[in-house]
Amino acid sequence: MGDEKSAERARYDFKKAMQEIVDLRGRGTELISVYIPPHKQISDVTAYLRNEYSQSSNIKSKSTRKNVTSAIESIMSRLKTFNTVPENGLVLFCGEVAAGGDQTRMVQYVLEPPEPMTAFLYRCDSTFFVEPLSDMLREKKSYGLIVMDRSEATIGLLVGKKVVTIKNFDSQVPRKHRQGGQSAQRFERLIELAAHEFFKKIANNAEEAFLERNDLQGIIVGGPGATKDFFVKEGYLHHELQKKVVDTFDTGYTDEYGLKELVANASASLQDMDLMREKELIQRLLSEIRKENGGLSAYGEEQVRDLTVAGAVDTILLSEGLDRKRIKMRCANGHEQEFTARAPPDKPNCDRCDAPIEEVEGMDLVDHFFELAETVGSRIELISADSEEGEMLLRAFGGIAALLRFQVVM
Ligand code: ZN
């Protein structure tokens, strides 16, 4: 498992595997799921499994017993290939699943989750236990959160659906009442100075919390009244962060609770933003297509592949609804065929010489493009299938299109 995958591809692969796993059923209580958190010793897990193995001799049904023990054996031998648990932990699913008619087949999945596992878990059931992973399937993007007025500020993060408080602090800005002897004018000036310092402090804390995060999609700012708008308008934030401010929203509070209020009030805008990004990409594609000779656009699997190999592709747009495999077959005489289909064909012989097919390799089409893109430095954007744009990409362009670096006359 040496080759380094991009986070986006790792997430896609994980999602794809999960879609398969969720639907699998065992005949009896015989499908094994094992969750191993990072830092757990492989030897501890093996000891645990050995114990489960001996327990399973009590299972009454002979076929269930046999299937459970062979699944545990298979997991133990797979674990031998690991010296340590990978950084986010390890999840193994193994068992004999129904495969149509009376048939069953043995499956084994070894997944490295995109986020760290927290607990060790062993389950034996008629389905695989996937609940702890379903949360990870959601797109994890983060947003910076600031709630503030002139007396208090709280900085936090929205990661997925979770609100995390990073820092809360009060200001030294004096309240309304001035002390005797001070002129009203001087008092005003002191207040403004203190407020200015406080806004700078908020900006510094925001910089510390947000600037290094490259998954940060945007920043939303909340608070009661006009102070937050003043803060944004006057450009207190670091210029890189300033560009990421999405909008301001009214909240009643400026503490931890205020962060939750802010997320609730901004939720519609946040959802729109994810969709906006996809919309923009597809709109760019369409406007290129309308230009002479198709501008900097390409679509269709063949064309996009050829142009990618030629190094002409900046961004490949792929629909997540692309349910295809890139299949490679080789016959006994060495004839190779490569094509795209939902599944490998049933016929066991070569088209050209009728010799038996010896090797079949099927790779998810999206993964195939990820591999191509990596070799030439193109970017890949996955477009969700359920948006209007995603549907258009799938229907009008077969789910595959590209924005080009330069025009190629073919
Ligand atoms: Zn052949």
Side-chain angles (χ1 to χ4, degrees), residues 139-190:
E139 224 25 69
K140 285 290 156 72
K141 290 170 179 162
S142 69
Y143 290 90
L145 309 173
I146 303 173
V147 285
M148 57 172 290
D149 58 12
R150 287 163 80 111
S151 57
E152 187 187 31
T154 308
I155 287 177
L157 268 178
L158 173 67
V159 185
K161 297 218 177 313
K162 217 164 39 191
V163 176
V164 187
T165 303
I166 294 176
K167 204 160 188 181
N168 168 274
F169 43 94
D170 293 322
S171 78
Q172 306 298 321
V173 181
R175 300 265 173 186
K176 314 129 199 111
H177 302 293
R178 70 187 153 103
Q179 287 153 8
Q182 271 182 331
S183 79
Q185 215 179 11
R186 181 173 150 71
F187 184 65
E188 272 308 308
R189 234 185 27 241
L190 279 174

Side-chain angles (χ1 to χ4, degrees), residues 5 8 31 60 64 76 89 123 126 237 254 256 283 286 294 314 389 403:
K5 279 185 195 173
E8 194 171 22
L31 302 186
K60 287 196 192 78
T64 304
M76 286 198 291
R123 283 287 168 93
S126 57
L237 286 167
T254 52
E256 233 168 284
Q283 291 306 332
L286 293 177
D314 178 63
E389 281 70 27
L403 296 163

